[in-house]
Amino acid sequence: MRARATAATAALLLAALTACGGGDDDKAESKPSAVETVPSEESTAGTVEEGMKLGESARTTSDAGTGVLEITPDTVVFTKEGGGETAENGVFVVVTMKDKAMTAVAADEPAPITGGGWKWMAADGEMIGWDSGNSSGVVMDKYNNADPVQPGSYQWRAQVFDLTEEQAKGGTLIYIDGEEKAHRWQMPSEDAGPHVAEVKKQLEF
């Protein structure tokens, strides 16, 4: 009887082992999940950035596509006279900005002759360039920087537009960088920003 029980036990163990082995063979091999690719956010020539507000920064491609400038329009001042000039069209809109080099190479704004740089878009869509009316004659010592911005440093700059009263209301400041990417800031219709008093002092002649 003992031999018969031992044989039965052995048969049960063999069946259990066979069942376990079969289960392992039936399991599908696990495969690593596919890695999702994230579309590149590289700028494309001719694209337009979302609209920003005064005081907000934009990372822009430097002139000739070398280097990165972080540009922050800082203060806007509306005045009929400034820097020894009188607005031909009615009002000067003076916008100051902070240009900061963000890479290990010097960075600069594209020259207007290339089609880049600063423009003002009036509420009706009219585009006004940097050399409108008497705007190019307005000079301010602190904001008259034009050299390439060296790595790890920043400069204060300014852009002046000579506009009619209507063009100055509810305008959009546009900057076209070295890759023809347009960055836009909605401008207030009155003096605004942290350096209004200083800018007005700089405009005195």
Side-chain angles (χ1 to χ4, degrees):
M1 185 178 288
R2 183 177 298 172
R4 197 177 291 171
T6 302
T9 302
L12 288 172
L13 286 172
L14 181 60
L17 288 172
T18 303
C20 288
D24 288 339
D25 291 339
D26 293 338
K27 283 184 180 178
E29 292 184 4
S30 60
K31 296 181 180 179
S33 58
V35 178
E36 293 184 7
T37 56
V38 179
S40 171
E41 293 185 358
E42 292 180 1
S43 58
T44 304
T47 58
V48 179
E49 281 287 344
E50 293 276 337
M52 294 171 282
K53 295 180 180 178
L54 186 70
E56 294 183 342
S57 302
R59 285 201 170 201
T60 71
T61 303
S62 176
D63 186 30
T66 58
V68 174
L69 271 181
E70 181 183 77
I71 296 181
T72 311
D74 175 80
T75 295
V76 60
V77 168
F78 298 79
T79 180
K80 295 183 181 297
E81 297 181 345
E85 296 284 348
T86 300
E88 178 181 315
N89 297 316
V91 59
F92 287 128
V93 178
V94 182
V95 185
T96 65
M97 60 279 300
K98 181 179 180 180
D99 284 12
K100 182 178 180 180
M102 303 301 293
T103 52
V105 296
D108 202 4
E109 297 180 4
I113 195 171
T114 66
W118 298 96
K119 302 180 188 302
W120 182 275
M121 185 173 73
D124 66 356
E126 181 180 1
M127 298 287 283
I128 299 99
W130 61 277
D131 57 348
S132 52
N134 294 328
S135 61
S136 59
V138 180
V139 177
M140 298 178 291
D141 290 341
K142 176 177 177 178
Y143 300 97
N144 197 35
N145 297 296
D147 295 327
V149 185
Q150 297 303 313
S153 68
Y154 67 87
Q155 291 180 6
W156 287 105
R157 299 188 179 191
Q159 192 64 58
V160 183
F161 301 94
D162 189 340
L163 308 173
T164 65
E165 294 285 350
E166 283 302 312
Q167 290 170 339
K169 293 178 182 177
T172 301
L173 182 69
I174 297 178
Y175 174 75
I176 301 174
D177 70 12
E179 289 188 341
E180 299 180 16
K181 189 173 186 177
H183 305 265
R184 304 179 301 170
W185 289 266
Q186 188 63 42
M187 290 288 103
S189 297
E190 57 185 21
D191 297 350
H195 300 120
V196 170
E198 180 186 54
V199 172
K200 287 185 174 182
K201 184 69 176 176
Q202 289 275 319
L203 287 168
E204 293 179 1
F205 192 79

